[in-house]
Each structure stands twice: as C-alpha cells, then as structure tokens.
Amino acid sequence: MSEFAQPTTTPSSPDMRVVTWNVLADCYVHGQTVLENTDFHCRTWPVRSVMIEKCLQAFDADVVCLQEVDHFESFYRPTLKAMGYKSLY
C-alpha cells in the first residue's frame, strides 16, 4: 500500500472517511498504453480483484464511491457486503 498516500488523523479531522476510486473497468485494462509497463499478470481480473479487495479493506472508509465498476454482482456486491457495506449500483 506504500504507493498510496496514507491518510492522516488530527484532532480537527472529520469523523467520516469517504473514498472515491476509479477502479478501471476490466474491459479497458487491456490495450491501454498507460498500463503497458504493468506486468500482464497483474492486469488479469483474478489478480486485480484480490488487489482491489485489499485496497478497499485498507481504506477503511465509511463511504466508498467507485467508478467504472464491472463484475458488480459477482465480485463487488459480495465483497462489499462481507466488509459490512450496503451497495447500490
């Protein structure tokens, strides 16, 4: 998780953590020049889904807003539910 800026907490910090994240729809992962230096294995959905889940857990947010979501019924809904979130797609 070191590549992400870590949130700081101070006495004046709000009591609610909101995360918004463009998870890059699986249909856009392949053929993107910006990703050509990324190991192909890391771009596969089975690997990406594990990394996405780990990041969502690490964010520990009260509200999560995701963009470019596919695999909602098969991945995001059950994953978010297991983390205690209610989801709307």
Side-chain angles (χ1 to χ4, degrees), residues 19-31:
V19 169
T20 182
W21 185 14
N22 183 319
V23 294
L24 188 59
D26 202 33
C27 63
Y28 297 127
V29 170
H30 304 288

Side-chain angles (χ1 to χ4, degrees), residues 47-68:
V47 173
R48 285 185 63 227
S49 63
V50 170
M51 292 187 291
I52 289 169
E53 183 175 359
K54 287 180 180 181
C55 288
L56 289 170
Q57 290 170 340
F59 291 149
D60 191 29
D62 299 297
V63 177
V64 177
C65 304
L66 302 175
Q67 298 86 42
E68 292 196 28

Side-chain angles (χ1 to χ4, degrees), residues 20-89:
T20 182
W21 185 14
N22 183 319
V23 294
L24 188 59
D26 202 33
C27 63
Y28 297 127
V29 170
H30 304 288
Q32 294 290 320
T33 56
V34 71
L35 299 175
E36 48 187 36
N37 292 328
T38 304
D39 182 3
F40 178 80
H41 177 72
C42 293
R43 291 185 270 163
T44 64
W45 178 246
V47 173
R48 285 185 63 227
S49 63
V50 170
M51 292 187 291
I52 289 169
E53 183 175 359
K54 287 180 180 181
C55 288
L56 289 170
Q57 290 170 340
F59 291 149
D60 191 29
D62 299 297
V63 177
V64 177
C65 304
L66 302 175
Q67 298 86 42
E68 292 196 28
V69 172
D70 49 12
H71 304 285
F72 181 74
E73 292 297 335
S74 63
F75 172 71
Y76 287 99
R77 184 185 299 276
T79 299
L80 292 168
K81 184 177 182 179
M83 291 183 207
Y85 292 103
K86 293 180 182 177
S87 57
L88 179 63
Y89 179 71

